[in-house]
């Protein structure tokens, strides 16, 4: 390894807000002195939109129109062509995170169909004989705290066979396990492929402390199995992202699972509250976002698995924010 | 008068001896000799000789011969056999001696009266075992992404990591089936090792994966009997992981400027450390399954210290609540135990969490008897009485954590809550094993009542009584209840059918009985044990418990006459029929005897019983007994022999020794002890004899015997006694009715004494040659006959002794006794002291010779002078001028008045001339020239 290029961002967590100055150093280390044609540093922020395969057929017409949206882009020349001495050379840099016009610095978000990403790229141009060196480094943008007072919105819920909506008529095929609700559509309570009459009796009660969530705080609540004829196998919290791409003419809306957290394993004690607790994963969640071109929303499903093969889902839309 | 220095001649005893011996005449071939073998021919003997001298040929031939020693070791050698059969407890104990040390440091906050987890884990591993086949389900993700990560952008890196964490979905799993328990333990240990390796090689994701997979094993309750041990093994891995993570983050805070103090606050931690720490917590929060998420988070609980001051106190209640989600009561109680353990380690002051765990546990207690559990037990074919005992390790731990330094009110509340629940035997048991013994003891009658009420089908009652008994051994119940408690308890215990259950229970209650009651009750209890254990030789399976019973009885009965009057004690001993156990028990008894017996005894009951016990120990000695074992046994038997005393009844004492001698002939130290005893007997007995020379000679002989048996101090005592007896020798003694002068006898005795003194080593605390000096003083002070030269003759002998003493190697030795030659090693100071003594003695002799210059004594002077001359010739170094001159003078003195016998003088001169021909004696030639022969004119 002859020459190494590295970018060190000053903040250990690499988190910056609009209006702040992103600073750090570019480190060039080499045993021998390095001849180069100039070093430049590029800061870039983009929103990448992608349509799911499912949606492609339907909206083929404007498939091509989904282009990356550039939020911020600037390049500075750090060093003019010349030579670095052997050893370690550190070149400090600063980028003010200011936006032109009415553009907004969205919060970093890594999704499936929507990706908001900020990168720093350092390029060292070199003569024909030596390859150019490039180093990329992601930094994270957090949006500014939302104005207005945060008001919690608690939700109580009760789940019984009667409250279920999506019960299929027809008997269950034995030995055929239910598919996991990896793309459960929001706003529906469902249980798969079971006649309501065949369902075992159960009564689940619970509450979420708030569906308005602060992204840095966990989702909390309680769940009580008041009664259940069938033994409980598992209770899970499924965090779902709902990403919408497109505009007025048409849009693609997809719900996918971010993570699935088990909160109860096995036949839990009746009448004893089980805590609902889920930490929002960093990068994969962001404050609920709504723009003209795309939307990022979140939902949580409470999934109860009963013996032998019943799957009950209760869905709650969430609103994430940062304060 | 001139002082003549003494220089003793160096003697080469070997050479002298050789020169005195008859010359060996080699036998020529063909010469007749009656003992000569007939068939051997010359050529053949030569061959044999050569063969014997070259080692290579002889060693090569030995390979074909079966070596009896190596054949014994054929097959498995004993050490690897031990290793192979070692039970998991021993294995684990060896595994974590270092861990124990570390844990002790951590526990320092809690105090030493808190029984640490490390004590428990060994017990658990030993107790919860299985013969069923086990399986490990591991989903080690393929190593994909490991090589490529360097080039990926960070976001992708994170994603792949999370994917890897979820990898177990994708079937990279390997399932290991049909493992024996030992295999399982080994596999877990391998995982522990690979965790460390992964960490060391910076594969943090792999390390985390291993930990997650391991903790997932804890949600598997198949082969449920093994669950507690599995818990112990896997939490060990979690401990390792927690420690690794904590230490790594801690090391990030340590920069060149400062080292983080042990009790740091979050502000001291730097941003990188905090970020890393936060990363771990985010990663763990996204673990899909509940049980691994719980365990892994609990394992790194301590790391909260880097993030915020209140982190731990917020985390603990949350984790406690989280356990509510675990449906299986056994899994959940062990999770609680782990949380309590981590909590006690990290934040012992946060009692609230512990209490919450306890009360949550009570809330879910009814599940143990619920349908889900029953169904599971039916599937696994496990009965409730063997299922319930899986709970105590975890429950005891939780209860112990809470009750540690807890106020009385809390304990009472806990007890009341337990009382209210149905099927509470399990709870009672844990209350009894974890709460303060005093608390239990004062409520013993209550507990007995509760135990009686318990459902017969659930938790085994004998375990409850055992727990109660353990408490009563530690703390005393109220005086008034004591007998009733014993009666009530024993009523139940004696009805136990299964000998194993019975003995486990009885063993504990023996302690209580011994502590508070007399030998009558103990006798009854022992009789009951014998009655239960004898049928079908049940005792064979319960040696450890029976041994414990003996130990407890011995510990409380220090008076052995009382102990052996317990009628059933010896019959009880007869139950130990396996020799090794029997010897162990005997050792215990003897050990206690030596420790507690204050005064010598002659009680025939004790003697009889203990002789029997000692004989058992002695008879276990065989050719394979280790030296250490022999030493131990000898020590114990000697301790016994020392404590036996018949006072003035020496005959009895001696006959006891004789009996002991015949019994313990295989243990050398015991024989030495017996010789000591006999020597002591001699020492006491000799003064009672009348004949003075008999006494002197007996002292000398006893001293020699003592010396021969390496009893140096005893020998010294004998010699001193002999020396102090010398002045008492009367001038005349009665021999065969005639009075005779005693001097010649004394001379004979002293010469004999001197030859013994040569080899007596000096006492390290007395001066050089103190025995010789003392003897010289006695001789000096003794009132000799007026006209006798005996004193001078004795002095001459002393001179011989001293010359012999100044030799580099003495003429003779006693085996295993280091004489002065090897003690001093020819030290110049010693030699100087020796020579000084010689000078004094010589001065005395010369002084005496002078006094003989009167007419009537001239003959005596001549003969004394000649004998002195001979002494110098034999022992002195005549190369020394002064000594040489003295010898010439003596020669003249001997001849001066014509009293000398001419023939003797001629012979002497011839001898000198002959001697001078020897290589290092040439200086004698010159001497011979200076010694004229006087003819009688």
């Amino acid at each position: 390894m002859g020459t190494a290029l590295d970018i060190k961002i000053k903040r250990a967590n690499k988190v910056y807000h609009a209006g702040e100055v992103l600073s750090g150093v570019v480190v060039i280390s080499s045993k021998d002195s390095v001849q180069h044609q100039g070093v430049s540093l590029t800061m870039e922020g983009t929103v990448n939109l992608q349509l799911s395969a499912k949606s492609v057929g339907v909206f083929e017409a404007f498939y091509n129109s989904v282009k990356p949206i550039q939020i911020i882009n600037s390049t500075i020349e750090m060093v003019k062509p010349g030579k670095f001495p052997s050893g370690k050379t550190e070149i400090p840099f600063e980028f003010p995170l200011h936006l032109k016009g009415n553009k907004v610095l969205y919060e970093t978000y890594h999704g499936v169909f929507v990706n908001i990403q900020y990168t720093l790229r350092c390029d060292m141009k070199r003569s024909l004989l030596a390859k150019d060196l490039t180093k990329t480094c992601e930094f994270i943008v957090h949006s500014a705290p939302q104005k207005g007072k945060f008001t919690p919105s608690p939700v109580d819920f009760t789940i019984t066979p009667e409250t279920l909506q999506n019960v299929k008529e027809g008997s269950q095929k034995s030995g055929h396990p239910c598919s996991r609700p990896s793309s459960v559509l929001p706003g529906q309570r469902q249980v798969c492929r079971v006649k309501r009459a065949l369902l075992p009796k159960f009564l689940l009660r619970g509450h979420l402390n708030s569906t308005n969530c602060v992204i840095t705080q966990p989702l909390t609540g309680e769940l009580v199995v008041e009664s259940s004829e069938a033994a409980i196998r598992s209770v899970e919290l499924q965090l779902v992202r709902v990403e919408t791409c497109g505009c007025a003419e048409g849009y693609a809306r997809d719900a996918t699972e971010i993570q699935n957290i088990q909160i109860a394993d096995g036949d839990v004690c009746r009448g004893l509250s089980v805590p609902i607790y889920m930490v929002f994963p960093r990068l994969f969640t962001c404050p609920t976002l709504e723009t003209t071109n795309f939307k990022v929303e979140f939902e949580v499903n409470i999934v109860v698995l009963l013996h032998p093969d019943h799957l009950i889902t209760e869905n709650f839309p969430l609103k994430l924010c940062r304060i | 008068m001139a002082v003549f220095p003494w220089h003793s001649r160096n003697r080469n005893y070997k050479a002298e001896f050789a020169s005195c011996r008859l010359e060996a005449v080699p036998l020529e071939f063909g010469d007749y000799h009656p003992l000569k073998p007939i068939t051997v021919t010359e050529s053949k003997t030569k061959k044999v000789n050569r063969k014997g001298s070259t080692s290579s040929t002889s060693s090569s031939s030995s390979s074909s011969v079966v070596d009896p020693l190596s054949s014994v070791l054929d097959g498995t050698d004993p050490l690897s056999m031990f290793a192979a059969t070692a039970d998991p407890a021993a294995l684990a104990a060896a595994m974590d001696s270092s861990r124990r040390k570390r844990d002790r440091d951590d526990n320092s906050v809690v105090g030493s009266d808190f029984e640490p987890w490390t004590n428990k884990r060994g017990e658990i591993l030993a107790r919860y075992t299985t013969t069923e086949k086990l399986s490990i389900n591991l989903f080690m993700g393929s190593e994909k992404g490991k090589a490529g990560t360097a080039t990926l952008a960070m976001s992708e890196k994170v994603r792949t990591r999370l994917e890897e964490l979820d990898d177990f979905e994708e079937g990279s799993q390997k399932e290991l089936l049909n493992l024996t328990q030992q295999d399982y333990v080994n596999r877990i240990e391998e995982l522990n090792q690979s965790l460390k390796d992964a960490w060391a090689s910076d594969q943090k994701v792999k390390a985390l994966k291993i930990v997650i997979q391991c903790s997932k094993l804890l949600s598997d309750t198949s082969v449920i009997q093994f669950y507690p041990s599995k818990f112990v093994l896997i939490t060990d891995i979690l401990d390792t992981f927690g420690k690794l993570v904590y230490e790594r983050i801690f090391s990030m805070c340590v920069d060149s400027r400062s080292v983080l103090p042990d009790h740091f606050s979050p502000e001291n931690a730097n941003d990188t450390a905090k970020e890393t720490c936060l990363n771990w917590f985010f990663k763990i929060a996204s673990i899909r399954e509940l049980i691994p998420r719980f365990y892994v988070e609990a394992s790194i609980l301590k790391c909260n210290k880097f993030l915020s001051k209140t982190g731990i106190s917020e985390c603990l209640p949350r984790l406690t609540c989280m356990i509510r989600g675990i449906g299986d009561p056994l899994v959940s109680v062990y999770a609680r135990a782990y949380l309590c353990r981590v909590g006690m380690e990290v934040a012992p002051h946060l009692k609230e969490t512990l209490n919450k765990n306890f009360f949550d546990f009570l809330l879910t207690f009814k599940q143990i008897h619920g349908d889900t559990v029953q169904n599971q037990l039916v599937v696994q074919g496990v009965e409730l009485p063997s299922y319930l005992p899986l709970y105590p390790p975890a429950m005891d731990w939780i209860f112990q954590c809470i009750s540690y330094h807890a106020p009385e009110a809390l304990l009472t509340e806990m007890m009341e809550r337990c009382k209210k629940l149905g099927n509470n035997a399990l709870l009672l048991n844990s209350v009894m094993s974890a709460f303060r013994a005093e608390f239990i003891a004062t409520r013993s009658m209550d507990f007995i009542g509760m135990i009686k009420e318990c459902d017969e089908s659930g938790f085994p009652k004998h375990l409850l009584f055992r727990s109660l008994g353990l408490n009563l051994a530690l703390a005393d119940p109220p005086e008034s209840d004591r007998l009733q408690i014993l009666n009530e308890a024993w009523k139940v215990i004696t009805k136990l059918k299964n000998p194993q259950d019975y003995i486990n229970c009885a063993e504990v209650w023996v302690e209580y009985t011994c502590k508070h009651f007399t030998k009558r009750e103990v006798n009854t209890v022992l009789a009951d044990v014998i009655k239960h254990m004898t049928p079908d030789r049940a005792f064979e399976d319960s040696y450890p418990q029976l041994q414990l019973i003996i130990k407890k009885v011995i510990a409380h009965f220090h008076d052995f006459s009382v102990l052996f009057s317990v009628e059933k004690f010896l019959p009880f001993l007869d139950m130990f029929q396996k020799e090794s156990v029997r010897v162990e028990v005997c050792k215990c008894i003897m050990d206690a005897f030596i420790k507690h017996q204050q005064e010598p005894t002659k009680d025939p009951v004790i003697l009889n019983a203990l002789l029997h016990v000692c004989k058992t120990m002695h008879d276990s000695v065989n050719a394979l007994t280790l030296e250490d074992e022999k030493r131990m046994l000898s020590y114990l038997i000697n301790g016994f022999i020392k404590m036996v005393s018949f006072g003035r009844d020496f005959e009895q004492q001696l006959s006891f020794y004789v009996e002991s001698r015949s019994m313990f002939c295989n243990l050398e130290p015991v024989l030495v002890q017996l010789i000591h005893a006999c020597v002591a007997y001699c020492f006491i007995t000799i003064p009672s004899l009348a004949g003075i020379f008999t006494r002197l000679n007996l002292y000398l002989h006893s001293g020699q015997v003592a010396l021969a048996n390496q009893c140096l101090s005893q020998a010294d005592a004998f010699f001193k006694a002999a020396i102090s007896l010398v002045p008492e020798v009367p001038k005349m003694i009665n021999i065969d009715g005639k009075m005779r002068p005693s001097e010649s006898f004394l001379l004979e005795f002293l010469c004999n004494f001197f030859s013994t003194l040569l080899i007596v080593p000096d006492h390290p605390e007395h001066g050089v040659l103190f025995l010789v000096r003392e003897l010289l003083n006695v001789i000096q002070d003794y009132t000799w006959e007026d006209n006798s030269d005996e004193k001078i003759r004795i002095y001459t002998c002393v001179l011989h002794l001293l010359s012999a003493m100044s030799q580099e190697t003495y003429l003779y030795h006693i085996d295993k006794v280091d004489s002065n030659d090897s003690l001093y090693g020819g030290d110049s100071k010693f030699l100087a002291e020796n020579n000084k003594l010689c000078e004094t003695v010589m001065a005395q002799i010369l002084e005496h010779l002078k006094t003989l210059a009167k007419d009537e004594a001239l003959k005596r002077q001549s003969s004394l002078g000649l004998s002195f001359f001979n002494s110098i010739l034999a022992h002195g170094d005549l190369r020394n001028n002064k000594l040489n001159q003295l010898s010439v003078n003596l020669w003249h003195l001997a001849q001066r008045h014509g009293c000398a016998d001419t023939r003797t003088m001629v012979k002497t001169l011839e001898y000198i001339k002959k001697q001078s021909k020897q290589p290092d004696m040439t200086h004698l030639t010159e001497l011979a020239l200076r010694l004229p022969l006087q003819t009688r004119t």
Side-chain angles (χ1 to χ4, degrees), chain B residues 76-87:
Chain B
T76 344
D77 71 302
L79 284 182
S80 52
M81 246 155 67
F82 278 134
T85 57
D87 60 327

Side-chain angles (χ1 to χ4, degrees), chain A residues 263-279:
Chain A
I263 59 166
D265 181 16
D267 198 14
V268 292
C269 190
R270 307 288 185 265
L272 192 66
S273 67
V274 174
I276 291 173
Y277 182 92
M278 180 166 65
V279 176

Side-chain angles (χ1 to χ4, degrees), chain B residues 882-899:
Chain B
K882 279 194 170 176
L883 214 54
N884 200 313
Q885 186 55 48
L886 178 67
S887 63
V888 174
N889 289 350
L890 284 172
W891 178 265
H892 284 293
L893 183 73
Q895 298 192 89
R896 189 180 294 165
H897 302 288
C899 306

Side-chain angles (χ1 to χ4, degrees), chain A residues 244-256:
Chain A
T244 314
C245 306
C247 48
E249 304 105 72
Y251 61 92
R253 183 183 155 95
D254 293 284
T256 48

Side-chain angles (χ1 to χ4, degrees), chain A residues 12-14 110-111 115 117 138 140 180 257 259-270 272-275 277 279-284, chain B residues 153-155 158-159 162 219 271-272 275 278-279 282 285-291 293 318 321-322 324-328 363-364 366-367 372:
Chain A
N13 59 6
K14 301 182 179 176
H110 294 197
N115 264 300
Q117 202 174 7
E138 179 173 13
I140 293 155
R180 284 300 176 87
E257 175 184 306
Q259 65 176 14
N260 194 355
I261 297 289
Q262 189 185 37
I263 59 166
D265 181 16
D267 198 14
V268 292
C269 190
R270 307 288 185 265
L272 192 66
S273 67
V274 174
Y277 182 92
V279 176
F280 293 111
R282 297 188 293 189
L283 302 177
F284 302 106
Chain B
M154 181 185 138
S155 62
V158 172
R159 191 180 306 156
L162 286 172
S219 57
D271 286 349
T272 327
E275 187 60 23
L278 216 52
N279 235 333
F282 271 108
S286 68
I287 296 173
R288 162 173 265 167
E289 277 160 274
L290 175 67
I291 288 167
R293 183 153 30 92
R318 182 170 59 73
C321 280
M322 201 164 154
R324 289 181 170 197
I326 301 176
D328 189 298
L363 288 176
T364 56
K366 56 179 183 282
Q367 278 191 294
T372 317

